[in-house]
Every structure is written in structure tokens, then in C-alpha cells.
Amino acid sequence: MSGKVTAVSSNGEYSFTKPNRDSVRLLAGLGVEGDVHAGVTVKHRSRVAQDPTQPNLRQVHLIHEELFAEVSGEGFKVAPGELGENITTRGIDLLGLPVGTLLRIGDSAVLEVTGLRNPCLQIHNFQDGLLKQVVGRDEAGNIVRKAGIMSIVREGGVVRPGDTVEMEHPSGPHRPLDRV
């Protein structure tokens, strides 16, 4: 099973949205070169406030482009990079991947999936009501998060729109994604 990269985005300053780029360079063990969230330890402000020595399991944020079409049906307009993701994909069920899945992107980059993005109030502030579209509850009352997944960089490389994304599931039992 494979998919495609439809956009790449990064921002060297703390901002909710990230401008689209022609390419981004992934750095092993760090994240997106020049991005404010790159680093060995946590960079997201809420995580830094809890414990700045935590490992950064949120080096690269991916969102499936299909989410934009879904929220569009509810009257919201969202484009790649506007929800703060670094890589926008098409054709991959990102939310259904197990923890530890390797994503091989382009010629050499490899990401390891660590968990789900926990949607925050910034999404509501971006567009009133959008947060309710990307986080909710299923029929059993379980929280469902749809705002993408987080990953760490195992092998660096340049990623561009149009690159193929190949998935390699981990051996062992399927461990569903949880928020990180």
C-alpha cells in the first residue's frame, strides 16, 4: 500500500499555520530542518511546560488531504499547512496505522509513526467550530482524533510534493495510535 505527498510545510517561528515549501529536509533524530518543532526534546509549548526533557515524539506532523474534503462538506475551507502539519498526504489511512509503522518517503527519508496529534484550541481559533470536526466521539463514547499523526525521523532526506510514501508495518500485534 502506498500514497503520495501532496504538500510540505515548515515554519521557523511559532505560528499555528506553516507555509508550503517546494521541499523540506528531514534530519534524523531531529525533524524538519528549520522548523520550530525540530529537536531531540519536546518543542511544543504545552509539552515543554510539563517537562522540557521529554523526548520529542512529535518531530514531524502528517495530515491526510482527505480530511480537508471531509471538513469542506461541513462548510470549512482548509488548505495544506493551515493546521500546522509538515507533510500532507493522499491515499493513506494515516489514522489507522499502528504505532511503529515506518513511512518511506521519496528517495531516502524514513519516519516512524509515534501517535495521534491531540487537536487543540488553536484549531477552534483558526476557524470557529472546526475543532468539533477533527475531534469527537464514536458510538461507544471513545474520543476520536482526526487531526493527523506524529512521527520521528529515523533516516533523513529531502521530501517534495509528488513523492511516494510506502508503509512498512511493524512486526508483532497491532498497537493502535493514541495521542502523543
Side-chain angles (χ1 to χ4, degrees):
M1 191 191 307
S2 67
K4 290 277 184 197
V5 173
T6 60
V8 294
S9 311
S10 67
N11 198 338
E13 299 177 12
Y14 278 105
S15 172
F16 180 66
T17 62
K18 295 187 180 198
N20 294 154
R21 309 287 183 193
D22 293 332
S23 66
V24 292
R25 179 176 302 280
L26 302 182
L27 304 173
L30 295 174
V32 177
E33 182 177 54
D35 192 80
V36 71
H37 294 111
V40 174
T41 57
V42 294
K43 301 301 176 201
H44 288 79
R45 291 177 175 168
S46 63
R47 303 294 193 298
V48 170
Q50 292 171 356
D51 177 2
T53 66
Q54 295 176 72
N56 188 1
L57 301 177
R58 300 166 55 101
Q59 293 174 354
V60 180
H61 176 199
L62 297 94
I63 282 186
H64 50 296
E65 184 178 72
E66 293 84 353
L67 176 65
F68 304 153
E70 181 182 328
V71 300
S72 167
E74 298 298 324
F76 296 93
K77 185 173 189 238
V78 181
E82 289 186 336
L83 294 182
E85 77 275 12
N86 300 109
I87 299 175
T88 309
T89 65
R90 179 178 51 236
I92 303 170
D93 178 13
L94 294 176
L95 304 177
L97 296 174
V99 172
T101 298
L102 297 180
L103 301 174
R104 298 182 185 284
I105 306 174
D107 293 333
S108 60
V110 179
L111 298 176
E112 180 181 336
V113 176
T114 57
L116 295 169
R117 175 190 184 183
N118 193 28
C120 62
L121 189 58
Q122 288 180 310
I123 293 174
H124 175 76
N125 295 338
F126 174 66
Q127 288 185 39
D128 188 25
L130 183 58
L131 181 60
K132 289 182 180 177
Q133 300 299 313
V134 298
V135 66
R137 295 196 180 269
D138 64 15
E139 300 79 30
N142 300 310
I143 295 175
V144 176
R145 295 172 177 88
K146 297 191 246 179
I149 64 171
M150 307 307 285
S151 63
I152 57 175
V153 182
R154 287 292 178 206
E155 295 179 30
V158 175
V159 176
R160 295 176 181 85
D163 281 350
T164 299
V165 181
E166 299 287 337
M167 291 163 287
E168 182 181 324
H169 292 279
S171 59
H174 178 99
R175 292 184 324 159
L177 299 177
D178 199 1
R179 69 183 182 94
V180 293

